[in-house]
Amino acid sequence: MKSTPPPAFVRVSERDLTEIELHSVDSINDLHRTHSEQHSKGVQPPRPPPPSTNGNLQMQDRAFVYQTGQPVRMPCVSRLKDICTSTRRHYFLAFAAIIAFLLTLILIFIFLALQSSVLHTLLEMVKQKQETAEDISQLLQQLHKLHINLTEQRP
């Protein structure tokens, strides 16, 4: 029966250590934030899965680690998770609703301004039409008077 050799230690660079430390701090902050939110609601936070007994990564851990052993950095996903937390989600939804409301008001005012300019143009055209109609009416009255004068002068 052969005994298995002890695992070989790999030298980790300072840069890798810094990345691991930063990731650990982010994870701890996330745990504190989710724990405080759940604790204030009276809900117990889920327990983390126990570490594997043989030292290998468990299936849920593998999605977060490259083959180099460095954690995957997904700033978009973490930012989205931050937005989706309950308090931030309410602020985000309220902000989105206010923006939608303001855009709707702006569109309504633009529509009303356009309608106002169209109504102003139509009013000017109606005034011009009335003035033209009055001028034509006066010309017809003068023409009628001239016609009467001409018919009276003929014997």
Side-chain angles (χ1 to χ4, degrees):
M1 199 181 304
K2 284 188 176 180
S3 65
T4 60
F9 290 99
V10 178
R11 184 154 183 88
V12 179
S13 69
E14 288 294 319
R15 183 173 164 240
D16 290 341
L17 281 175
T18 304
E19 289 288 327
I20 292 169
E21 288 172 354
L22 289 174
H23 184 69
S24 299
V25 169
D26 288 342
S27 298
I28 290 170
N29 288 339
D30 289 342
L31 284 173
H32 283 295
R33 188 181 68 243
T34 56
H35 177 70
S36 65
E37 287 175 1
Q38 291 174 347
H39 185 65
S40 65
K41 295 177 185 176
V43 176
Q44 287 285 18
R47 295 196 180 270
S52 62
T53 55
N54 60 4
N56 294 332
L57 291 175
Q58 294 181 1
M59 285 307 285
Q60 65 250 23
D61 296 334
R62 287 186 189 174
F64 298 101
V65 177
Y66 283 120
Q67 293 208 0
T68 61
Q70 293 181 355
V72 176
R73 303 184 92 206
M74 293 184 263
C76 296
V77 174
S78 64
R79 184 92 171 143
L80 188 60
K81 284 181 182 178
D82 287 345
I83 289 174
C84 292
T85 60
S86 63
T87 54
R88 288 189 180 176
R89 184 178 356 156
H90 289 111
Y91 287 125
F92 178 76
L93 291 176
F95 179 74
I98 289 170
I99 293 296
F101 177 73
L102 290 176
L103 286 175
T104 304
L105 281 179
I106 289 170
L107 288 174
I108 289 171
F109 284 127
I110 289 172
F111 177 76
L112 290 176
L114 290 173
Q115 292 300 317
S116 173
S117 67
V118 168
L119 286 175
H120 182 69
T121 305
L122 285 173
L123 183 62
E124 288 296 320
M125 291 175 67
V126 168
K127 284 182 182 178
Q128 287 178 354
K129 185 177 178 184
Q130 285 177 344
E131 290 173 3
T132 305
E134 288 175 7
D135 289 344
I136 290 174
S137 176
Q138 288 176 356
L139 286 174
L140 284 174
Q141 287 175 0
Q142 289 176 358
L143 184 63
H144 186 64
K145 285 180 185 177
L146 285 174
H147 184 275
I148 290 174
N149 284 340
L150 283 176
T151 53
E152 287 179 356
Q153 290 179 355
R154 282 191 185 167

